[in-house]
Amino acid sequence: QEYIYMLAFAPASDLMALPVSSSIWKKLNSLTQFRHLGGVENQEAVEQNFENYFKELDAGNAFVAKSHEQKNAFLRGLAFGWYSLYYKLDSKAGKRKAEMFFSNPDPKVASETWNVLDSGIVRKIFRLSLPKIATSKLIYLPRLANPIDWNEINDLTGGKLGRSSLSFDSNPEHYSSIMPSFHYTDRIQHSDPSQEEHLLEHQIKKKKQRFDRVPVRVIADEELGFLHKGLTKGICCQKPICEEMIRCDLVVHMHGGGFISMTSNSHENYTRVWSKKLKLPIFSIDYRLAPEHRYPAGLNDCWHTYQWLVNNAQTKLGIMFEKVILIGDSAGGNMVFGVTQRAIQTKFRVPDSIVLVYPSLNMSAHKATPSYMNSLDDRLLKHTFIRICRDSYLPAGANPDIDPYLSPLVSSDQILAQFPPTQFVCGKLDPFYDDSCRMMKRLDDVGVAVKMLCYENLSHGFLNFACDGVIPHVKQCHEAVRELADILKELITPCDEH
């Protein structure tokens, strides 16, 4: 109802109000490669595979929701096991229960359903189904860059937010209690490496939790010399860690999950494939998640990681790179856009290219497009889930109507004109599809090289459907994963040219 109301008052000049025969749409379509996943001739088989996948998904949502009706932890565990079998055998009952759950989902349960691949026995089964790879390890990088703060956000909006009312993550345990000003007052290039190393070693000795670290998963099809015990514990050495230099570009990945769920682990079904095909490591960031860590905590983690890698990849990791490529899906696409915008604003190195896969570009509750209507019956991205993600991520006082870090669609032309070449990858049935078209037009209007790969028969989240083994999957989605790898391959510098 709220979407229909907003669409009724959209201006006649709006992109979505223009006929497809208009010159603007002709230009956008000329920049877009339209594809049918699996081929037009195989659509019946593709649709059946998706239907089977969503039956499994409905069963999962149903038994997680049903088990949470039990207050006792022991009974909840029994219910979880029983209903996982019951709803798998009775798919109609599973679909009914899932629809009831989606009508008014509990935020905690909703987050748990999306986090199922990172939970208990499911995580172990999932990891067994992943493509084999030599390296998949977490390293812990320090938060040393200047964070995005209230004053900067207010400046970006032209002072429209006024006096600070934004509730930042202020829990002191989430940051270092030893030297609290060190992380946020000195940029990496100005920090004292010996002071940094002393601080980190002191924290390790005191068995402090890694609250001032960003976990980053390194995925590579070879053993990497810099993955030594110190770095995996959070100690960053002043000298290069490995004797031999690696010549490869930096590819940094930011995962999706609605800002409230999932990790680098739950996206390894495709990041491992990319690493193997590109023959270089993928750095996948495990940024902090809402609602425990609301905006801009997760975005700051991505910014810290990006700046640390650019400044230290050669001197501390032994990676000699020419290009930096950022790629993010869904909420991760929002993070990629935010990091790029932050780099432009601070006159830091801007990534050479960015890839946005079904990105979240508009968090306003007061702006809608026709494709949002797809969320009313989308099997994965329900409108109620979108609302939960938005409410969980936004702190009190945030205004996504005018904040470009929350809603990149409101970014200024001056900032957008400085963006690197941008590649969109979307499904035409995705609730977020129209927002990608809007951003594509804005970037093209200011002279940025922009392209889109659009799957006409796909909705949201399809990269995560490309699994193997007992994990529910859609085999045709492997095709999309490979095509993304080909896109990335065109953007990087071949190893023999370094």
Side-chain angles (χ1 to χ4, degrees):
Q1 184 177 359
E2 61 186 85
Y3 291 166
I4 296 173
Y5 175 82
M6 285 184 281
L7 290 173
F9 290 92
S13 59
D14 186 86
L15 175 64
M16 299 305 152
L18 299 178
V20 293
S21 59
S22 68
S23 59
I24 293 177
W25 274 112
K26 286 182 179 178
K27 176 65 183 298
L28 292 179
N29 288 337
S30 72
L31 299 172
T32 303
Q33 178 187 4
F34 291 99
R35 293 256 293 101
H36 271 80
L37 188 77
V40 178
E41 67 281 3
N42 298 316
Q43 283 313 288
E44 187 175 338
V46 174
E47 290 173 7
Q48 185 59 54
N49 280 339
F50 271 99
E51 181 58 31
N52 294 340
Y53 174 86
F54 284 119
K55 282 182 180 179
E56 297 279 358
L57 189 66
D58 285 340
N61 289 326
F63 71 70
V64 170
K66 189 68 177 178
S67 65
H68 271 270
E69 294 177 5
Q70 304 294 330
K71 303 300 181 184
N72 181 279
F74 176 73
L75 293 177
R76 187 182 303 132
L78 289 178
F80 191 93
W82 161 249
Y83 284 110
S84 63
L85 178 62
Y86 171 70
Y87 287 125
K88 190 174 180 66
L89 294 175
D90 191 340
S91 59
K92 290 184 178 179
K95 185 176 182 180
R96 285 196 302 270
K97 180 61 182 177
E99 288 174 346
M100 290 175 60
F101 167 63
F102 281 131
S103 66
N104 187 26
D106 177 88
K108 183 178 180 181
V109 181
S111 176
E112 184 170 326
T113 61
W114 278 15
N115 275 318
V116 68
L117 291 182
D118 291 300
S119 306
I121 188 66
V122 179
R123 185 179 191 275
K124 294 179 180 178
I125 296 173
F126 173 68
R127 292 196 68 79
L128 288 174
S129 72
L130 293 173
K132 301 302 179 187
I133 202 158
T135 299
S136 174
K137 291 184 179 179
L138 287 174
I139 60 175
Y140 296 86
L141 303 182
R143 296 187 176 101
L144 298 174
N146 283 345
I148 298 164
D149 61 19
W150 170 262
N151 290 329
E152 179 180 346
I153 295 170
N154 195 32
D155 288 343
L156 281 174
T157 65
K160 293 178 182 178
L161 293 176
R163 189 170 56 84
S164 174
S165 60
L166 189 60
S167 300
F168 285 104
D169 183 359
S170 58
N171 187 338
E173 288 188 339
H174 296 168
Y175 306 99
S176 168
S177 58
I178 300 172
M179 196 179 294
S181 63
F182 177 70
H183 316 77
Y184 296 111
T185 57
D186 297 313
R187 298 210 179 169
I188 295 174
Q189 57 263 43
H190 297 149
S191 63
D192 180 351
S194 61
Q195 183 185 32
E196 173 190 339
E197 188 173 351
H198 172 73
L199 168 68
L200 300 179
E201 288 180 345
H202 182 62
Q203 288 178 321
I204 296 298
K205 288 177 183 177
K206 293 292 185 181
K207 297 184 179 179
K208 295 272 182 186
Q209 295 188 48
R210 304 184 184 108
F211 290 126
D212 64 341
R213 305 289 177 284
V214 183
V216 179
R217 186 174 297 277
V218 183
I219 301 157
D221 202 26
E222 61 179 322
E223 296 293 338
L224 300 174
F226 64 79
L227 289 175
H228 66 107
K229 292 183 179 179
L231 190 58
T232 55
K233 289 181 179 178
I235 301 175
C236 301
C237 299
Q238 185 175 358
K239 306 185 225 181
I241 293 165
C242 51
E243 295 180 1
E244 293 185 6
M245 300 294 284
I246 305 171
R247 294 180 176 271
C248 65
D249 291 335
L250 287 177
V251 177
V252 184
H253 169 255
M254 301 169 201
H255 69 78
F259 306 99
I260 66 172
S261 63
M262 308 188 84
T263 64
S264 61
N265 167 73
S266 50
H267 290 68
E268 280 193 82
N269 65 300
Y270 61 84
T271 53
R272 288 190 178 199
V273 175
W274 293 349
S275 179
K276 290 169 77 73
K277 287 183 71 72
L278 299 177
K279 298 179 180 173
L280 50 71
I282 304 285
F283 293 86
S284 188
I285 305 171
D286 275 320
Y287 54 85
R288 287 170 290 175
L289 300 174
E292 292 81 8
H293 308 283
R294 294 176 183 264
Y295 168 77
L299 178 56
N300 274 326
D301 285 352
C302 294
W303 170 240
H304 291 309
T305 302
Y306 173 72
Q307 211 183 59
W308 192 95
L309 286 172
V310 169
N311 281 325
N312 296 281
Q314 182 168 337
T315 58
K316 293 190 177 181
L317 303 184
I319 297 178
M320 295 182 65
F321 64 93
E322 291 184 11
K323 296 179 180 178
V324 184
I325 313 299
L326 302 187
I327 181 167
D329 58 286
S330 194
N334 182 288
M335 298 293 187
V336 166
F337 208 100
V339 168
T340 305
Q341 186 166 234
R342 173 73 167 159
I344 291 169
Q345 288 162 343
T346 59
K347 296 181 171 47
F348 190 69
R349 172 171 176 157
V350 176
D352 294 271
S353 299
I354 61 174
V355 182
L356 306 175
V357 186
Y358 36 82
S360 169
L361 299 173
N362 172 33
M363 296 197 70
S364 171
H366 306 107
K367 299 175 183 176
T369 66
S371 68
Y372 278 23
M373 300 297 288
N374 291 334
S375 68
L376 298 178
D377 59 2
D378 191 276
R379 302 285 288 274
L380 177 72
L381 194 62
K382 297 285 189 182
H383 67 101
T384 49
F385 267 37
I386 294 174
R387 188 186 310 126
I388 284 175
C389 294
R390 182 174 64 229
D391 294 346
S392 298
Y393 186 56
L394 300 183
N399 189 344
D401 291 346
I402 57 177
D403 184 344
Y405 283 130
L406 289 171
S407 299
L409 275 173
V410 302
S411 300
S412 69
D413 286 345
Q414 181 182 5
I415 291 293
L416 293 181
Q418 300 174 66
F419 260 63
T422 301
Q423 170 79 53
F424 289 88
V425 178
C426 304
K428 199 169 185 178
L429 305 179
D430 192 328
F432 295 161
Y433 172 70
D434 289 349
D435 287 337
S436 290
C437 293
R438 291 178 189 275
M439 180 57 76
M440 189 176 175
K441 177 186 181 301
R442 291 205 61 200
L443 290 169
D444 181 63
D445 285 347
V446 294
V448 175
V450 60
K451 294 189 294 185
M452 178 186 286
L453 171 60
C454 175
Y455 293 100
E456 297 197 66
N457 57 335
L458 295 186
S459 182
H460 195 79
F462 50 81
L463 290 182
N464 288 96
F465 302 171
C467 295
D468 287 311
V470 297
I471 298 295
H473 64 283
V474 180
K475 64 180 182 180
Q476 287 87 355
C477 287
H478 289 285
E479 181 183 327
V481 172
R482 291 191 294 269
E483 290 187 336
L484 256 294
D486 291 338
I487 288 172
L488 289 170
K489 200 166 187 176
E490 291 180 2
L491 298 177
I492 66 173
T493 306
C495 292
D496 56 1
E497 292 183 14
H498 277 281

